[in-house]
Amino acid sequence: AQSVTQLDSHVSVSEGTPVLLRCNYSSSYSPSLFWYVQHPNKGLQLLLKYTSAATLVKGINGFEAEFKKSETSFHLTKPSAHMSDAAEYFCVVSGGNTGKLIFGQGTTLQVKP
Amino acid sequence: DAGVIQSPRHEVTEMGQEVTLRCKPISGHDYLFWYRQTMMRGLELLIYFNNNVPIDDSGMPEDRFSAKMPNASFSTLKIQPSEPRDSAVYFCASSTRQIPNTEAFFGQGTRLTVV
């Protein structure tokens, strides 16, 4: 069975400082992992994905994530936060033969000026 | 491709009425998902289809909810009768298992308000 845990429900950073959103996963199979972003009153947009290629994955808007199998983690980072990064972020795992996507509970990123 | 298209974008209905939400997936995608998002429960997977066949409907809250996919380009989620606790944003998403394109593409959602 697959599951995903986002370790922080809320993260607050100052503009220009690094962002770290943490995600741990559990999967019986070699997983595909994703990060999605949702801005207020908007749909979900894919930030980046890992599908068993390079373990360091670069996404849009300067975000990246590193797949660490030994730690079962897929943390999302960005060197310098921008005000427009304020949103809800979801870590997602897909695996096995089902095609089913499992969402974490989400992390709200607040960016202070 | 125009992406996943959901309609209506907003729906306000009275308790007890039937509500039908519609979704057109991306052409060529063989998976379709229905999610519900609320403040209290976050994103919940209600049901998903593969090649128009329902695979897992364990997330459907109760018998008042039903979903169909009569063909590869159309799906509906129906609530009958609707209740105020059904108020939420309902998202439809589609994907394909052809690696590396395994991510799901989401529609803009339908905001349902039951009064």
Side-chain angles (χ1 to χ4, degrees):
Chain A
Q2 289 81 35
S3 67
V4 61
T5 302
Q6 293 183 240
L7 301 173
D8 307 290
S9 60
H10 189 271
V11 170
S12 181
V13 301
S14 296
E15 189 175 22
T17 64
V19 176
L20 170 64
L21 306 183
R22 298 182 295 165
C23 172
N24 286 353
Y25 71 92
S26 173
S27 178
S28 304
Y29 303 89
S30 180
S32 294
L33 292 158
F34 313 87
W35 276 98
Y36 282 83
V37 61
Q38 184 180 30
H39 288 91
N41 299 313
K42 299 290 186 184
L44 289 94
Q45 179 185 17
L46 180 71
L47 270 180
L48 48 80
K49 63 181 178 182
Y50 165 78
T51 54
S52 74
T55 57
L56 182 62
V57 181
K58 293 188 185 298
I60 61 172
N61 300 333
F63 284 93
E64 62 182 37
E66 186 171 8
F67 173 71
K68 292 187 177 180
K69 186 175 181 179
S70 60
E71 299 177 9
T72 62
S73 69
F74 190 58
H75 301 335
L76 181 70
T77 61
K78 183 174 180 177
S80 176
H82 191 272
M83 295 297 292
S84 61
D85 295 328
E88 187 85 8
Y89 291 79
F90 294 94
C91 183
V92 183
V93 64
S94 170
N97 298 320
T98 67
K100 189 173 178 178
L101 300 179
I102 309 296
F103 276 74
Q105 287 300 301
T107 298
T108 301
L109 175 64
Q110 179 187 22
V111 182
K112 297 177 290 186
Chain B
D1 201 309
V4 177
I5 299 173
Q6 291 186 245
S7 64
R9 291 291 310 277
H10 301 274
E11 176 81 33
V12 180
T13 191
E14 291 185 347
M15 182 174 61
Q17 296 298 306
E18 176 180 295
V19 176
T20 299
L21 311 182
R22 297 173 175 80
C23 175
K24 176 178 167 53
I26 291 174
S27 176
H29 282 189
D30 50 358
Y31 283 85
L32 185 138
F33 307 85
W34 282 101
Y35 287 87
R36 179 172 68 175
Q37 186 177 38
T38 60
M39 289 291 291
M40 292 296 294
R41 301 172 70 93
L43 267 168
E44 303 172 275
L45 176 64
L46 300 177
I47 184 172
Y48 77 99
F49 296 83
N50 178 218
N51 291 322
N52 313 337
V53 176
I55 303 300
D56 184 350
D57 64 355
S58 60
M60 297 285 261
E62 47 198 280
D63 292 345
R64 298 184 297 105
F65 285 69
S66 62
K68 294 181 179 179
M69 192 165 187
N71 57 61
S73 59
F74 184 66
S75 177
T76 59
L77 178 67
K78 185 177 294 186
I79 308 172
Q80 166 63 17
S82 58
E83 297 182 3
R85 60 193 169 121
D86 301 330
S87 298
V89 181
Y90 290 82
F91 288 103
C92 176
S94 69
S95 73
T96 172
R97 288 288 288 172
Q98 295 179 15
I99 293 174
N101 299 315
T102 57
E103 69 265 31
F105 294 81
F106 282 77
Q108 289 299 299
T110 295
R111 182 175 297 276
L112 173 64
T113 303
V114 183
V115 298

